[in-house]
């Protein structure tokens, strides 16, 4: 998958996407990630990307010209252009899975008070939020989306890191898991997991996943 990111803060992307599974996905060309500085598409002396809102009000808005030019330059017919914004649909595992089907994502990170609305209306195919809170800029939401999508791309997770039985994969939270020692300070691992009876273990896990989901996230059921 090819992913282009448009941001005012390219340096924020150095580090989080250079470790572990995402690093490996990039090295094996499963993820072709490029970070672009929005200011490169501003042509005045000061590289201006923002301006005051018409009608007054606090803060500054990202101007349409640099973002339109960047999308015209980086976009292709098959691209999905996604703005990250608190007003978007809330990102979740189903949307992450949906995005894995696409060849090219162009993710646009906001700053200040957000975007001139013509960018949303005319340029964006989609608008995603990472939750009901406001961050200072869109770099973290963009990285969250890239991470969640990349780990679902074919071949990115090894068998040990399989995405099949984790939280949300079957619409449920994950069942409780344990490792050695079987008895730690008197806290014992459930007997069934030590039984070697795979059918019993699978039944117990399914039951626990339902119980946990009903207790903590009944909205998922
Ligand atoms: C300070 S926020 C702007 C908030 C905007 N004035 C509002 O009330 O919705 C600056 C930028 O950070 C990003 N951002 C902040 N919180 C976000 C969230 N929960 N999900 C996705 N993007 C977010 C967006 O790109 C946004 O344009």
């Amino acid at each position: 998958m090819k992913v282009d990111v448009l941001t005012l803060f390219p340096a924020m992307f150095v580090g989080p996407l250079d470790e572990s599974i995402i690093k490996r996905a990039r090295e094996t060309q499963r993820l072709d990630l490029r970070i672009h500085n929005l200011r490169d598409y501003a042509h005045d002396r000061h590289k201006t990307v923002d301006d005051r809102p018409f009608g007054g009000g606090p803060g500054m808005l990202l101007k349409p010209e640099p973002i339109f030019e960047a999308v015209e330059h980086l976009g292709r017919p098959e691209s999905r252009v996604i703005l990250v914004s608190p007003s978007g649909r809330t990102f979740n595992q189903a949307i992450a899975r949906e995005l894995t089907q696409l060849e090219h994502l162009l993710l646009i990170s906001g700053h200040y008070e957000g975007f001139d609305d013509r960018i949303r209306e005319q340029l964006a195919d989609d608008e995603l939020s990472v939750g009901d809170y406001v961050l200072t800029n869109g770099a973290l939401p963009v990285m969250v989306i890239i991470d969640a999508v990349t780990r679902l791309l074919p071949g990115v997770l090894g068998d040990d890191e399989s995405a099949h039985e984790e939280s949300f994969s079957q619409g449920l939270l994950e069942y409780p898991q344990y490792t050695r020692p079987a008895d730690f300070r008197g806290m014992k691992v459930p007997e069934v997991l030590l039984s070697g009876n795979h059918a019993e273990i699978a039944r117990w896990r399914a039951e626990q996943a339902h119980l946990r989901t009903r207790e903590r996230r009944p909205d998922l059921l």
Side-chain angles (χ1 to χ4, degrees):
M1 171 180 271
K2 185 165 166 38
V3 177
D4 285 291
V5 175
L6 199 54
T7 174
L8 281 174
F9 306 107
M12 285 185 73
F13 291 80
V14 179
L17 302 174
D18 297 317
E19 297 286 343
S20 178
I21 293 168
I22 307 299
K23 175 184 178 186
R24 208 166 62 212
R26 296 178 75 179
E27 284 171 353
T28 55
Q29 319 293 317
R30 290 183 168 94
L31 172 67
D32 176 4
L33 176 65
R34 317 247 165 134
I35 311 294
H36 308 271
N37 192 333
L38 179 57
R39 284 198 198 280
D40 292 343
Y41 294 92
H43 301 299
D44 64 316
R45 203 152 51 91
H46 301 292
K47 302 262 175 207
T48 309
V49 293
D50 60 324
D51 209 336
R52 289 189 306 275
F54 280 123
M60 303 290 269
L61 291 176
L62 288 173
K63 289 162 64 63
E65 305 94 310
I67 297 188
F68 269 73
E69 187 182 318
V71 171
E72 281 153 12
H73 181 235
L74 300 168
R76 306 193 231 131
E78 68 273 20
S79 308
R80 181 165 309 176
V81 178
I82 302 175
L83 295 187
V84 291
S85 145
S87 310
R89 54 184 185 137
T90 308
F91 185 64
N92 60 24
Q93 193 71 0
I95 297 176
R97 231 174 276 125
E98 170 196 324
L99 298 184
T100 62
Q101 303 304 309
L102 303 172
E103 276 176 43
H104 181 220
L105 305 181
L106 177 39
L107 295 162
I108 307 179
S109 166
H111 185 44
Y112 311 116
E113 284 305 313
F115 303 95
D116 178 296
D117 219 64
R118 287 166 290 191
I119 297 166
R120 189 190 319 266
E121 283 167 16
Q122 297 295 322
L123 212 54
D125 301 312
D126 205 346
E127 195 178 342
L128 295 176
S129 163
V130 291
D132 293 344
Y133 44 83
V134 179
L135 297 163
T136 55
N137 73 79
L140 292 170
V142 162
M143 286 190 264
V144 165
I145 293 166
I146 291 172
D147 187 296
V149 172
T150 301
R151 65 192 292 286
L152 296 178
L153 293 175
V156 168
L157 292 185
D159 278 350
D160 288 350
E161 305 145 336
S162 167
H164 293 310
E165 288 199 16
E166 63 190 3
S167 294
F168 312 115
S169 61
Q170 327 277 340
L172 298 172
L173 300 180
E174 192 183 52
Y175 45 77
Q177 301 235 59
Y178 303 87
T179 185
R180 270 176 282 273
D183 184 339
F184 174 63
R185 298 184 179 175
M187 294 177 276
K188 294 194 171 59
V189 167
E191 211 47 60
V192 60
L193 297 177
L194 311 175
S195 68
N197 183 332
H198 296 299
E200 275 298 310
I201 292 172
R203 200 166 345 180
W204 182 85
R205 285 178 165 166
E207 205 176 273
Q208 292 294 316
H210 272 99
L211 269 176
R212 186 166 271 194
T213 309
R214 198 175 321 131
E215 259 172 42
R216 299 184 188 184
R217 292 292 307 276
D219 57 299
L220 293 176
L221 292 172

